[in-house]
Short mmCIF file of all heavy atoms in Angstrom, two decimals:
data_model
loop_
_atom_site.label_atom_id
_atom_site.label_comp_id
_atom_site.label_asym_id
_atom_site.label_seq_id
_atom_site.Cartn_x
_atom_site.Cartn_y
_atom_site.Cartn_z
N GLN B 102 129.78 4.67 168.72
CA GLN B 102 130.43 4.51 167.44
C GLN B 102 131.93 4.72 167.57
O GLN B 102 132.41 5.19 168.60
CB GLN B 102 129.86 5.49 166.40
CG GLN B 102 128.40 5.26 166.05
CD GLN B 102 127.93 6.18 164.94
OE1 GLN B 102 128.71 6.59 164.08
NE2 GLN B 102 126.66 6.51 164.93
N GLY B 103 132.67 4.40 166.51
CA GLY B 103 134.10 4.68 166.47
C GLY B 103 134.33 6.14 166.12
O GLY B 103 133.40 6.92 166.00
N LEU B 104 135.58 6.49 165.93
CA LEU B 104 135.93 7.86 165.62
C LEU B 104 135.85 8.14 164.13
O LEU B 104 136.17 7.25 163.32
CB LEU B 104 137.37 8.16 166.09
CG LEU B 104 137.55 8.55 167.53
CD1 LEU B 104 137.32 7.37 168.46
CD2 LEU B 104 138.95 9.11 167.75
N GLN B 105 135.48 9.34 163.80
CA GLN B 105 135.47 9.77 162.38
C GLN B 105 136.28 11.05 162.27
O GLN B 105 136.17 11.95 163.12
CB GLN B 105 134.05 10.08 161.92
CG GLN B 105 133.06 8.94 162.00
CD GLN B 105 131.67 9.40 161.66
OE1 GLN B 105 131.47 10.26 160.79
NE2 GLN B 105 130.67 8.82 162.31
N LEU B 106 137.07 11.16 161.21
CA LEU B 106 137.82 12.38 160.98
C LEU B 106 136.88 13.52 160.64
O LEU B 106 136.04 13.40 159.77
CB LEU B 106 138.84 12.18 159.86
CG LEU B 106 139.69 13.42 159.52
CD1 LEU B 106 140.67 13.67 160.66
CD2 LEU B 106 140.42 13.25 158.22
N LEU B 107 137.07 14.64 161.34
CA LEU B 107 136.27 15.85 161.07
C LEU B 107 137.05 16.75 160.11
O LEU B 107 136.54 17.18 159.11
CB LEU B 107 136.01 16.55 162.39
CG LEU B 107 134.84 17.52 162.51
CD1 LEU B 107 133.54 16.87 162.05
CD2 LEU B 107 134.70 17.97 163.96
N LEU B 108 138.30 17.02 160.46
CA LEU B 108 139.16 17.83 159.61
C LEU B 108 140.59 17.66 160.10
O LEU B 108 140.82 17.15 161.18
CB LEU B 108 138.75 19.30 159.62
CG LEU B 108 138.44 19.96 160.96
CD1 LEU B 108 139.69 20.33 161.72
CD2 LEU B 108 137.63 21.25 160.75
N LYS B 109 141.51 18.10 159.22
CA LYS B 109 142.93 18.03 159.61
C LYS B 109 143.70 19.17 158.97
O LYS B 109 143.32 19.70 157.94
CB LYS B 109 143.54 16.67 159.20
CG LYS B 109 143.55 16.39 157.69
CD LYS B 109 144.13 15.01 157.44
CE LYS B 109 144.14 14.69 155.95
NZ LYS B 109 144.66 13.31 155.67
N TYR B 110 144.79 19.53 159.64
CA TYR B 110 145.70 20.52 159.11
C TYR B 110 147.04 19.85 158.82
O TYR B 110 147.67 19.29 159.71
CB TYR B 110 145.92 21.68 160.09
CG TYR B 110 146.99 22.61 159.60
CD1 TYR B 110 146.73 23.54 158.60
CD2 TYR B 110 148.30 22.55 160.11
CE1 TYR B 110 147.71 24.38 158.11
CE2 TYR B 110 149.29 23.37 159.63
CZ TYR B 110 148.99 24.28 158.65
OH TYR B 110 149.97 25.09 158.15
N LEU B 111 147.44 19.95 157.54
CA LEU B 111 148.74 19.41 157.16
C LEU B 111 149.70 20.54 156.79
O LEU B 111 150.86 20.55 157.20
CB LEU B 111 148.61 18.44 156.01
CG LEU B 111 147.68 17.22 156.23
CD1 LEU B 111 147.67 16.31 155.02
CD2 LEU B 111 148.06 16.46 157.49
N SER B 112 149.23 21.46 155.97
CA SER B 112 150.05 22.58 155.55
C SER B 112 149.14 23.59 154.85
O SER B 112 147.95 23.35 154.68
CB SER B 112 151.16 22.14 154.61
OG SER B 112 150.63 21.63 153.41
N GLY B 113 149.71 24.71 154.45
CA GLY B 113 148.93 25.70 153.69
C GLY B 113 148.12 26.60 154.58
O GLY B 113 148.55 26.98 155.68
N SER B 114 146.93 26.96 154.11
CA SER B 114 146.06 27.85 154.86
C SER B 114 145.84 27.33 156.28
O SER B 114 145.54 26.14 156.48
CB SER B 114 144.72 28.01 154.16
OG SER B 114 143.80 28.71 154.99
N THR B 115 145.96 28.21 157.24
CA THR B 115 145.82 27.80 158.64
C THR B 115 144.37 27.57 159.06
O THR B 115 144.10 27.06 160.12
CB THR B 115 146.45 28.82 159.58
OG1 THR B 115 145.85 30.09 159.36
CG2 THR B 115 147.95 28.92 159.35
N LEU B 116 143.44 27.97 158.20
CA LEU B 116 142.01 27.73 158.45
C LEU B 116 141.54 26.56 157.63
O LEU B 116 141.63 26.58 156.40
CB LEU B 116 141.20 28.99 158.14
CG LEU B 116 139.72 28.92 158.48
CD1 LEU B 116 139.52 28.86 160.00
CD2 LEU B 116 138.98 30.13 157.90
N VAL B 117 141.07 25.54 158.30
CA VAL B 117 140.57 24.36 157.60
C VAL B 117 139.09 24.16 157.94
O VAL B 117 138.66 24.47 159.04
CB VAL B 117 141.36 23.09 157.94
CG1 VAL B 117 142.75 23.15 157.31
CG2 VAL B 117 141.49 22.88 159.43
N GLU B 118 138.37 23.64 156.97
CA GLU B 118 136.93 23.50 157.11
C GLU B 118 136.52 22.05 156.86
O GLU B 118 137.12 21.34 156.10
CB GLU B 118 136.19 24.44 156.15
CG GLU B 118 136.49 25.90 156.38
CD GLU B 118 135.83 26.79 155.32
OE1 GLU B 118 135.30 26.27 154.34
OE2 GLU B 118 135.91 28.01 155.51
#
Side-chain angles (χ1 to χ4, degrees):
Chain B
Q102 295 186 29
L104 275 70
Q105 301 174 35
L106 179 71
L107 202 51
L108 47 77
K109 64 182 178 182
Y110 173 77
L111 302 183
S112 65
S114 171
T115 56
L116 184 66
V117 289
E118 298 175 352

